[in-house]
């Protein structure tokens, strides 16, 4: 098991100097794969890896995607409800409406990291289903409020309970799939957001027909019915959601062994279990990749919420009434869904997640430049498609890119919590930039979104540059650790890289900082 092979999920194939290769061959001779763990071609356990992967996909992806569809539907339904006289009925001004949009993102961001830690400590089936029941209740009560203070309070509670789902599921999926498999699954999961956008418009148009039933207006019924549905789904989730690979009920013991083995061979050394230590959390906080990843994700997530919350209003200002405006959002989200899954598939196959990220930022930028300058409804509607096809694929691709480059189960859970949480807080900013008085062109809103896109584009280049530089340094042997009895006689080794008794100790202690780990570009 050569050190270089641990980065096989990486796309960087920098050559290793001959002398360094000889030393690594010496290490390879002294380290072998434990006989209890199968290799990719080992059939002694009677497990077909392709069939196993399909089995995992069917057990995890459909239901998790459905949960996110429900969550995103609940979160953004206020944009649809607004078109049915919600502001007038609650005596809410445009400024107060924007405050209610913004307040959701404060708890939604603050509780991301704690939620991921709880998810790691508890069973996903318990944690994720519990928070869903709670936010379903909050969503239902949101349809019973009578004024600004009630709407404000319910939006806060909704944000607090929804906070754990998105970062939790992405971390959870990273514990099941290899680095070259994670991107497509993250894209399919996130594409539920685009489906919810399409479905949300249709659902709001249908529920609007209940206006006046039991004395409740159409907007109230949107909240009530969606909240009841979320509560029911949360209860059912307790029985459907699976836990981590080592305890998953739907796998046999040989299948669990294969799942863990294939992850470990892909550089995820903590797949077999990791003791909770504060140093792993501290490593996540002090890792430069976490901070650059926060900027990278912010550049995509800010535009995402501005787009999803105000798309019906933007189309409405193009000359369409409430129900037609909601219906015209449907094809936009369908196209975005297809494009998101396509990018996820290609990024997994080709491996250059950073370049796909840069390309998507450029597509989004093009869309918003047209929106900010166009005076024709048809051209603006076309630009909405470009914006959606640029923004939506960015979210799962960036999460997969960051996750691919962080090893250690606790470190990865905290890193994803920080990255997603910081990105989410910017939803509070972009949900305030589309003011009613700026209609129909929303120059201020589009301009601020363009600034976010620019930030993300710069961060992507920085992330790419430093990952490539670090891979090159490791290929040259500048990060090699001293392993007693293996390479401790090699001249030129730097003691600052650490001295260890075994290669396994190096991997578990250093995670992605190990010299044999290769980052995904």
């Amino acid at each position: 098991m050569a050190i270089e092979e641990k980065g096989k999920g990486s796309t960087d194939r920098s050559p290793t100097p001959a002398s360094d290769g000889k030393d690594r061959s010496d290490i390879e001779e002294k380290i072998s794969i434990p006989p209890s763990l199968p290799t990719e071609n080992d059939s002694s356990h009677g497990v077909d890896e392709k069939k196993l992967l399909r089995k995992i996909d069917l057990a995890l992806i459909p239901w998790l995607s459905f949960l996110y569809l429900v969550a995103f539907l609940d979160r953004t339904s206020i944009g649809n409800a607004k078109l049915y006289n919600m502001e007038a009925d609650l005596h809410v001004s445009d400024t107060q409406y924007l405050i209610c949009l913004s307040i959701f993102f404060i708890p939604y961001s603050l509780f991301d990291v704690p939620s991921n830690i709880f998810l790691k400590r508890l069973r996903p089936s318990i944690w994720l289903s519990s928070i869903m029941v709670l936010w379903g209740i909050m969503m239902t009560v949101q349809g019973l409020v009578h004024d600004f203070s009630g709407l404000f309070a319910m939006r806060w509670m909704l944000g607090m309970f929804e906070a754990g789902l998105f970062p939790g599921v992405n971390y959870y999926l990273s514990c099941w799939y290899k680095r070259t498999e994670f991107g497509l699954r993250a894209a399919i999961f996130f594409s539920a957001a685009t489906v919810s956008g399409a479905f949300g418009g249709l659902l709001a148009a249908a529920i609007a027909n209940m206006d006046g039933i039991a004395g409740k207006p159409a907007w109230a019924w949107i909240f009530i019915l969606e909240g009841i549905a979320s509560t029911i789904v949360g209860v059912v989730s307790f029985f459907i959601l699976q836990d981590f690979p080592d305890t998953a009920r739907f796998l046999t013991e040989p299948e669990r062994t294969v799942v863990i083995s294939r992850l470990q061979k892909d550089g995820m050394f903590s797949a077999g279990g990791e003791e909770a230590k504060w140093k792993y959390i501290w490593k996540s906080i002090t890792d430069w990749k976490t901070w650059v990843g926060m900027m990278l994700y912010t550049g995509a997530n800010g535009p995402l919420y501005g787009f999803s919350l105000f798309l019906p209003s933007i189309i409405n200002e193009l000359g369409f009434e409430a129900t037609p405006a909601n219906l015209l959002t449907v094809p936009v989200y369908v196209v975005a869904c297809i494009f998101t899954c396509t990018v996820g598939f290609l990024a997994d196959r080709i491996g250059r997640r950073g370049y796909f990220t840069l390309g998507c930022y450029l597509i989004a930028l093009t869309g918003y430049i047209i929106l900010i300058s166009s005076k024709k409804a048809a051209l603006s509607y076309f630009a909405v498609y470009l914006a959606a096809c640029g923004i939506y694929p960015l979210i799962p691709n960036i999460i997969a890119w960051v996750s691919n480059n962080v090893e250690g189960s606790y470190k990865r859970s905290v890193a994803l919590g920080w990255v997603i949480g910081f990105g989410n807080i910017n939803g509070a900013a972009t949900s305030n930039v589309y003011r009613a008085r700026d209609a129909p062109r929303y120059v201020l809103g589009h301009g601020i979104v363009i600034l976010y896109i620019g930030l993300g584009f710069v961060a992507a280049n920085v992330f790419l540059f430093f990952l490539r530089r670090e891979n090159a340094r490791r290929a040259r042997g500048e990060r090699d650790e001293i392993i007693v009895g293996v390479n401790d006689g090699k001249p030129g080794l730097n003691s600052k890289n650490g001295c260890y008794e075994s290669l396994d100790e190096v991997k578990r202690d250093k995670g992605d900082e190990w010299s044999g780990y290769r980052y995904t570009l």
Side-chain angles (χ1 to χ4, degrees):
M1 182 169 58
I3 288 181
E4 287 84 351
E5 290 177 351
K6 280 303 178 182
K8 69 187 288 186
S10 168
T11 57
D12 182 40
R13 303 296 181 187
S14 303
T16 305
S19 60
D20 187 56
K22 182 178 183 301
D23 290 315
R24 293 180 186 274
S25 296
D26 293 339
I27 296 176
E28 180 181 0
E29 292 174 2
K30 298 187 180 185
I31 302 169
S32 60
I33 301 173
S36 60
L37 296 179
T39 62
E40 286 188 33
N41 299 318
D42 187 3
S43 60
S44 61
H45 286 72
V47 176
D48 184 315
E49 194 168 315
K50 289 184 178 180
K51 290 183 178 179
L52 174 60
L53 191 59
R54 287 195 294 269
K55 183 178 181 179
I56 294 172
D57 286 340
L58 290 174
L60 304 185
I61 304 302
W63 190 254
L64 291 174
S65 298
F66 177 65
L67 294 188
Y68 192 55
L69 184 152
V70 173
F72 210 83
L73 192 65
D74 289 350
R75 184 185 320 165
T76 58
S77 60
I78 191 171
N80 293 318
K82 178 191 176 187
L83 300 179
Y84 297 100
N85 301 314
M86 183 188 71
E87 289 176 299
D89 290 348
L90 295 180
H91 307 290
V92 171
S93 67
D94 181 58
T95 299
Q96 289 176 318
Y97 171 74
L98 294 175
I99 291 173
C100 287
L101 292 185
S102 301
I103 198 62
F104 170 90
F105 296 99
I106 305 301
Y108 190 68
S109 303
L110 293 177
F111 290 95
D112 279 4
V113 173
S115 178
N116 263 15
I117 294 175
F118 276 114
L119 178 68
K120 177 63 181 173
R121 299 289 289 174
L122 300 175
R123 289 163 50 193
S125 57
I126 294 176
W127 181 250
L128 295 178
S129 58
S130 297
I131 62 175
M132 190 165 194
V133 168
L134 291 170
W135 95 55
I137 294 172
M138 295 305 107
M139 183 70 178
T140 304
V141 176
Q142 190 171 268
L144 305 177
V145 300
H146 299 287
D147 52 25
F148 165 71
S149 60
L151 184 62
F152 179 93
M154 288 305 101
R155 289 292 292 177
W156 171 278
M157 299 300 289
L158 187 65
M160 182 173 69
F161 291 123
E162 274 200 34
L165 183 70
F166 188 67
V169 169
N170 277 288
Y171 164 67
Y172 171 72
L173 289 176
S174 75
C175 295
W176 279 92
Y177 294 100
K178 293 163 64 175
R179 293 191 288 172
T180 52
E181 299 165 346
F182 178 48
L184 176 60
R185 277 75 183 180
I188 294 173
F189 166 66
F190 179 73
S191 67
T194 63
V195 175
S196 76
F199 183 62
L202 292 172
L203 185 61
I207 295 177
N209 294 319
M210 296 183 64
D211 185 33
I213 294 178
K216 294 292 181 184
W219 64 265
W221 280 115
I222 291 174
F223 293 142
I224 292 170
L225 294 183
E226 291 181 10
I228 292 172
S230 297
T231 304
I232 295 172
V233 170
V235 173
V236 174
S237 293
F238 175 77
F239 303 98
I240 295 179
L241 283 174
Q242 301 295 328
D243 296 315
F244 292 110
D246 55 338
T247 59
R249 302 183 303 272
F250 74 105
L251 295 179
T252 64
E253 188 60 36
E255 288 173 336
R256 285 195 285 267
T257 302
V258 171
V259 171
I260 294 171
S261 173
R262 66 198 298 271
L263 293 176
Q264 290 177 330
K265 287 186 289 183
D266 190 47
M268 298 169 65
F269 327 119
S270 58
E274 183 179 65
E275 183 182 353
K277 294 182 181 179
W278 278 105
K279 78 170 187 175
Y280 298 137
I281 297 175
W282 180 247
K283 276 187 175 183
S284 173
I285 297 172
T286 57
D287 191 339
W288 68 268
K289 298 192 299 299
T290 300
W291 295 93
V292 177
M294 288 160 64
M295 297 297 106
L296 179 60
Y297 189 73
T298 293
N301 211 46
L304 171 70
Y305 285 113
F307 184 88
S308 60
L309 287 169
F310 285 92
L311 180 60
S313 296
I314 292 171
I315 295 179
N316 180 242
E317 293 299 334
L318 295 179
F320 299 96
E321 297 302 323
T323 296
N326 274 327
L327 294 177
L328 280 172
T329 65
V330 175
V332 177
Y333 285 117
V334 170
V335 172
C337 176
I338 295 171
F339 202 76
T340 297
C341 292
T342 301
V343 169
F345 173 79
L346 292 176
D348 274 356
R349 284 297 182 91
I350 300 173
R352 300 285 180 174
R353 299 197 192 281
Y355 297 99
F356 279 99
T357 298
L358 293 173
C360 288
Y361 270 124
L362 290 176
I363 293 173
L365 180 62
T366 301
Y368 275 98
I369 288 175
I370 294 174
L371 278 172
I372 204 171
S373 57
S374 172
K375 296 181 181 179
K376 297 181 179 180
L379 182 59
S380 296
Y381 188 57
F382 168 72
V384 164
Y385 281 89
L386 286 180
C389 289
I391 292 170
Y392 278 87
L394 279 170
I395 302 298
N397 194 56
I398 289 172
I399 289 173
W401 195 18
V402 172
S403 177
N404 283 177
N405 292 309
V406 180
E407 167 48 19
S409 58
Y410 276 98
K411 182 181 179 182
R412 189 166 60 253
S413 72
V414 175
L416 287 177
W418 279 111
V419 168
I420 294 172
F422 187 80
N424 285 337
I425 196 68
N426 289 274
T430 54
S431 61
N432 269 296
V433 299
Y434 285 94
R435 304 173 302 182
R437 63 177 179 269
D438 295 329
R441 294 182 62 195
Y442 295 107
V443 173
L444 175 65
H446 295 332
I448 291 176
V449 168
I450 288 173
L451 289 177
Y452 271 98
I453 292 171
L455 170 66
F457 187 80
V458 171
N461 279 284
V462 171
F463 204 57
L464 194 60
F465 172 80
F466 282 104
L467 291 178
R468 183 186 292 110
R469 188 178 71 169
E470 182 59 26
N471 278 352
R473 286 178 171 175
R474 294 181 184 187
R476 292 193 298 267
E478 295 176 18
R479 304 299 194 205
D480 284 0
E481 300 84 3
I482 299 173
I483 303 177
V484 177
V486 178
N487 68 344
D488 47 343
K490 178 184 176 181
L493 290 178
N494 191 338
S495 60
K496 291 183 179 180
N497 294 332
C499 182
Y500 298 89
E501 294 296 326
S502 67
L503 184 60
D504 184 67
E505 183 186 358
V506 178
K507 297 174 185 176
R508 291 196 172 277
D509 182 62
K510 300 188 72 172
D512 60 83
E513 296 174 2
W514 169 53
S515 62
Y517 191 95
R518 292 296 182 269
Y519 291 122
T520 301
L521 301 182

